[in-house]
Amino acid sequence: MIGRRLPEERPRVAPVGYKIATLLLSAGGDRAGFAGVSIGRGQTYGVEDDARCAYGRRHASPAPRCDCGFYCLGSEAEARDLLCVTEYRFAALLTVDVLGSYIRYQRGLRYSRQRVTAVRVGACACGNPAELLVDAGAGMTGRRALTGCCLSCAAGRIGLSFGAYARLAGVPVTADASPYVLGERDVVPRLVAEVTLLQARLDRCQEQLGRLLGSDP
Ligand SMILES: [Zn+2]
Ligand SMILES: [Zn+2]
């Protein structure tokens, strides 16, 4: 079996994968990009890009005797699991089309070219779904990292709307659902109850006002 080549795949549609990445904004605020979180952590890439060897070797990625190249997982749930890891908390979930050559592994692919097709921003640190992007307090030369934040936690801070980031990056950006599903369910009925109470008070005020005005000759 030594020397036997792996079977070659020639898919008609690009394989779809999931990965996590740091969202970046250039120092001048005019360019958006992504950075990997493990191998190639210091390398940035655009919405459609080619992999470069993370060790500066002169070969095309993914080289069989190197571990460079883009990586993705085949399962969205497994990619989302990575977002729980302490150092990846500020990362976003990307959906990618795998283009060019690739090497298939049990849980995903290592490959030469990718197109990011969707960005989902994780929940705010408070648990609410993110509503804009703010400085994550990290970065690299010429680029600062951004992370999702809700409007109430962002009060007084300058941030970037998802739409603005999407225009710079060239890919749709949306909020990922909050993992606190039960918490959200708790909040909504409470808000509805508060609004109902306010409405009832307003109705009473209007009634009293109407009576006062009506009794005034
Ligand atoms: Zn390499
Ligand atoms: Zn918040």
Side-chain angles (χ1 to χ4, degrees):
M1 297 303 257
I2 293 170
R4 192 180 142 221
R5 288 174 70 85
L6 289 167
E8 273 197 25
E9 296 180 19
R10 297 200 175 274
R12 274 200 215 126
V13 284
V16 172
Y18 304 91
K19 64 193 295 173
I20 63 170
T22 305
L23 302 183
L24 300 172
L25 182 68
S26 65
D30 57 342
R31 278 176 300 133
F34 310 94
V37 293
S38 54
I39 301 163
R41 177 188 288 263
Q43 288 186 332
T44 62
Y45 55 89
V47 66
E48 186 163 340
D49 225 331
D50 290 301
R52 295 172 297 279
C53 180
Y55 310 100
R57 294 182 193 136
R58 289 164 145 224
H59 55 217
S61 297
R65 289 170 199 277
C66 192
D67 59 6
C68 61
F70 285 127
Y71 282 78
C72 73
L73 290 159
S75 151
E76 184 181 323
E78 279 191 43
R80 193 174 267 116
D81 282 349
L82 291 176
L83 294 170
C84 300
V85 178
T86 309
E87 54 267 48
Y88 304 157
R89 286 292 177 95
F90 298 128
L93 181 65
L94 309 188
T95 309
V96 295
D97 282 343
V98 174
L99 311 169
S101 59
Y102 60 81
I103 298 171
R104 186 178 285 282
Y105 294 87
Q106 197 172 359
R107 294 165 57 209
L109 303 170
R110 178 159 70 94
Y111 52 99
S112 62
R113 184 171 177 79
Q114 78 179 1
R115 184 191 306 125
V116 181
T117 57
V119 173
R120 275 171 287 174
V121 180
C124 178
C126 76
N128 280 318
E131 292 171 276
L132 79 168
L133 295 165
V134 296
D135 193 330
M140 56 185 69
T141 308
R143 289 175 174 86
R144 48 178 59 88
L146 301 180
T147 192
C149 193
C150 78
L151 285 177
S152 34
C153 291
R157 294 185 70 183
I158 303 293
L160 205 58
S161 71
F162 289 168
Y165 191 84
R167 278 191 293 281
L168 290 176
V171 60
V173 179
T174 53
D176 207 9
S178 169
Y180 305 103
V181 177
L182 285 174
E184 278 185 325
R185 281 190 190 138
D186 286 344
V187 168
V188 173
R190 205 177 66 219
L191 286 176
V192 170
E194 281 172 13
V195 168
T196 311
L197 195 70
L198 283 173
Q199 189 64 54
R201 280 188 191 152
L202 195 65
D203 287 346
R204 268 206 307 279
C205 278
Q206 271 174 338
E207 258 175 46
Q208 284 168 353
L209 198 63
R211 272 205 300 277
L212 280 171
L213 291 174
S215 61
D216 203 2

